[in-house]
Amino acid sequence: MKIVKSLFGPKTRGRTFSFALVIVAYVIISVLQSGHSIPRMITALLVPVCSYIVAAIGLNMNVGISGELNLGQAGFMSVGGFSAAVVNVVLSGVIGNDILRLAVCIVVGAIIAGFVGWLISIPVLKLEGDYLAIVTLAFGQIIMSLINNTYIGVDANGIHFAFINNTIQLAEGGKMVLSGPMGVTGNTVISTFTVGFVLILVALLIVYNIIYSREGRAIQACRDNKIAAETVGIRVSSTKTLAFVLSSALGGAAGALYMMNYASVAATKFDFNTSILILVYVVLGGLGNMTGTVIATSVLVLLPEMLRFLSSYRMLVYAIVLIVMMIVTNNEKIKTFFASFKKQKGAEAHE
C-alpha cells in the first residue's frame, strides 16, 4: 500500500507517468526496430530526439521551476559536445569499449558545462527578466564564436591548442579534433538509442529528486517571492545558482550525446536558433511539466521529417501545428474544463 501511494500519490503521480511513458516508448521503439518497421530517416533521429529531450528537461528546470529565462542552452550543449569530442579522441586508445567511453564523455561534458554554468551564473543571476535572457543569449553567441576560432589536435605528445590561426604541427599519427569553423571532423560515432534512453531516465531522476527535495521547494519559493524566501532564511543567490548549474550540466550531457552521434559537427549547429527551439519545446510541453516536455520535444523533432512528403508545404503545416499546440496548451477554458471534469469524476468515484 505504501508503494502504491508513493508511486501514485497526488505529488508523485506525474513523476511515475513520466518514467512509465519513457520506458513504454523505448520498449515499443525497440520492438519496431528489431522488426525493421521504422523508416530509416526516423531511426536516424532517435539519438537527436533523446539529446533534445535531456536539454529541454534541463532548461525546464531553469525556466519552469526556477523561473529564470535562459536563452543560452545551446551554448551549454556546445560546451559539453565539443569537450566530449576531445575526450573521445584522447581515450580512444585507452578505453576500447564504446559504451564505457561514451559514458565518460557524457559525464565529462556535463561536468565542464556545469562548471561553465557556475562561472556564468555569478554575474548573470544578478539580472532578471529580459536582461537575463539577453545576457544568456549573448553567452551562447560568444561560445559559438570562440569555438569557431579554436583549433585542437591530439598526438603522441598530448593535446595541442591554437586560437584564431591554426599553428598546430602534429606528430605522425596525430589527429585534429577541432578545426575552427569546420568544427569537429572525423569523429567516431558511438552514441546509441539505448544510452539516450538511459540518459533521459537519469535526467528525470535528477530533476524530480531536486523538485521534491528541500532545495526544490526553496527554488520554487525564490521563483514565487524572493523577499518572502529571504525572510525565512533561504539564500536566494545560491538557490538560483543550483538550478542554473543543473540546467547547464544537463545541457552539456545532451550536447555530448548529440556530438557522439555524428562524424562531423560545426559550432553553428548550436546557434541562437537551437536555443529558441529548445525553449519552444519547454513552453509547448508546459513550464514545470517534465512529461509534457518529453512529449512536445519528441513530436516537434520528428514532425518535420514525418511531413517531408508534403514537400514545400512541410514547414507551413509544421507552423500550423505549433500554433494549435500553443493555443490548446495555454487555453484557460480548456484547462478549466478538464479540471472540472476530473473533479466531477473524483466526486462520483468517492460516492
Side-chain angles (χ1 to χ4, degrees):
M1 196 66 181
K2 290 183 178 180
I3 297 177
V4 174
K5 188 176 181 180
S6 64
L7 292 177
F8 300 100
K11 293 184 178 180
T12 58
R13 191 181 300 125
R15 176 176 60 184
T16 302
F17 184 73
S18 294
F19 283 105
L21 175 67
V22 173
I23 293 172
V24 170
Y26 172 75
V27 172
I28 293 175
I29 292 173
S30 297
V31 171
L32 292 176
Q33 267 191 305
S34 62
H36 304 287
S37 302
I38 301 179
R40 183 175 297 179
M41 65 177 183
I42 301 298
T43 303
L45 287 175
L46 292 178
V47 172
V49 166
C50 294
S51 301
Y52 284 122
I53 288 175
V54 174
I57 290 173
L59 185 61
N60 206 348
M61 180 69 197
N62 201 189
V63 178
I65 306 301
S66 182
E68 302 292 343
L69 183 56
N70 178 5
L71 295 181
Q73 190 71 340
F76 295 115
M77 286 185 70
S78 65
V79 170
F82 287 103
S83 299
V86 176
V87 173
N88 184 32
V89 174
V90 172
L91 297 181
S92 60
V94 180
I95 302 178
N97 187 284
D98 289 345
I99 301 300
L100 180 59
R101 192 165 72 254
L102 175 60
V104 174
C105 290
I106 291 174
V107 171
V108 171
I111 291 174
I112 294 178
F115 177 72
V116 173
W118 174 74
L119 289 177
I120 295 297
S121 70
I122 296 173
V124 163
L125 293 183
K126 297 182 184 296
L127 304 173
E128 296 181 3
D130 298 339
Y131 300 102
L132 174 63
I134 292 171
V135 172
T136 53
L137 168 63
F139 158 73
Q141 296 302 108
I142 290 171
I143 289 296
M144 187 177 68
S145 178
L146 289 175
I147 294 176
N148 270 331
N149 290 279
T150 300
Y151 298 84
I152 298 177
V154 178
D155 60 14
N157 298 320
I159 301 175
H160 302 273
F161 173 85
F163 190 66
I164 299 181
N165 296 318
N166 185 8
T167 58
I168 297 176
Q169 298 293 329
L170 294 176
E172 186 177 353
K175 182 178 181 180
M176 286 296 297
V177 181
L178 184 57
S179 303
M182 294 179 63
V184 170
T185 56
N187 190 36
T188 305
V189 178
I190 56 177
S191 287
T192 64
F193 174 53
T194 299
V195 174
F197 158 73
V198 173
L199 187 58
I200 292 174
L201 293 182
V202 171
L204 288 173
L205 183 64
I206 293 173
V207 169
Y208 275 123
N209 280 339
I210 290 291
I211 291 175
Y212 295 119
S213 68
R214 181 178 178 180
E215 290 76 13
R217 292 190 293 272
I219 291 171
Q220 294 173 69
C222 294
R223 175 197 64 192
D224 296 336
N225 194 316
K226 295 180 183 178
I227 298 175
E230 287 178 341
T231 58
V232 296
I234 297 175
R235 297 179 60 185
V236 175
S237 59
S238 60
T239 300
K240 287 190 172 185
T241 298
L242 173 63
F244 196 84
V245 171
L246 177 60
S247 174
S248 306
L250 290 178
L257 178 68
Y258 186 93
M259 183 69 70
M260 295 299 102
N261 189 56
Y262 296 99
S264 61
V265 178
T268 51
K269 174 59 187 175
F270 304 104
D271 60 0
F272 164 70
N273 293 322
T274 304
S275 290
I276 294 299
L277 201 59
I278 298 173
L279 182 62
V280 168
Y281 301 153
V282 172
V283 172
L284 289 182
L287 297 179
N289 186 347
M290 302 305 160
T291 305
T293 297
V294 172
I295 296 173
T297 305
S298 302
V299 171
L300 294 180
V301 173
L302 294 174
L303 192 60
E305 292 300 324
M306 297 174 68
L307 295 175
R308 191 168 289 277
F309 67 94
L310 295 175
S311 187
S312 57
Y313 297 101
R314 176 170 62 103
M315 297 312 296
L316 174 62
V317 175
Y318 181 75
I320 293 173
V321 171
L322 280 179
I323 294 171
V324 171
M325 288 181 66
M326 181 65 76
I327 293 174
V328 171
T329 56
N330 291 276
N331 193 309
E332 292 298 329
K333 291 183 179 180
I334 295 176
K335 291 180 181 178
T336 303
F337 169 77
F338 280 109
S340 61
F341 179 77
K342 289 181 180 179
K343 188 175 182 179
Q344 181 181 359
K345 286 295 182 180
E348 293 175 358
H350 182 69
E351 291 175 359

